[in-house]
Amino acid sequence: MSWPTEIRVSPARDALSLLFEDGARIRLTAQRLRVNSPSAEVRGHGGARPPPVTGKENVKIVRLEPVGNYALRIVFDDGHDSGLYSWDYLSELAGT
């Protein structure tokens, strides 16, 4: 697993960019991150799949909170903040 050496939120707060130590760069929109949150609220509780998250085209990133050395908690302007985005999960979302 490669670790990020740079983490940036775009000036418009609508995207997250990461540069990894192996040289890989990824960019994910706030909408993609919010709709694919790894939280139980989005993924479901006890195997029950909730309806898809919609209407997040204009969601913004309010702040990032590091979680140990393995993940980020992303706080969105719609109040959602319960997903922990591991480096592997962020790479998976970016298709790398």
Side-chain angles (χ1 to χ4, degrees):
M1 167 158 61
S2 185
W3 301 98
T5 57
E6 184 178 291
I7 302 168
R8 293 184 185 237
V9 176
S10 68
R13 310 214 58 83
D14 61 353
L16 176 68
S17 298
L18 295 98
L19 173 63
F20 288 87
E21 62 188 2
D22 64 2
R25 287 184 181 272
I26 63 172
R27 183 178 187 280
L28 296 159
T29 66
Q31 177 187 5
R32 182 166 175 81
L33 291 162
R34 176 61 181 90
V35 168
N36 292 286
S37 172
S39 69
E41 173 190 331
V42 172
R43 297 245 174 148
H45 297 272
R49 186 87 175 147
V53 176
T54 60
K56 300 302 176 183
E57 295 81 6
N58 298 312
V59 73
K60 304 291 185 202
I61 297 169
V62 174
R63 73 178 176 277
L64 305 175
E65 299 173 356
V67 179
N69 290 324
Y70 67 93
L72 287 175
R73 173 177 285 115
I74 302 174
V75 179
F76 296 93
D77 67 354
D78 67 353
H80 184 73
D81 67 355
S82 60
L84 298 182
Y85 296 78
S86 71
W87 312 134
D88 285 342
Y89 185 62
L90 289 167
S91 292
E92 179 184 317
L93 277 179
T96 61

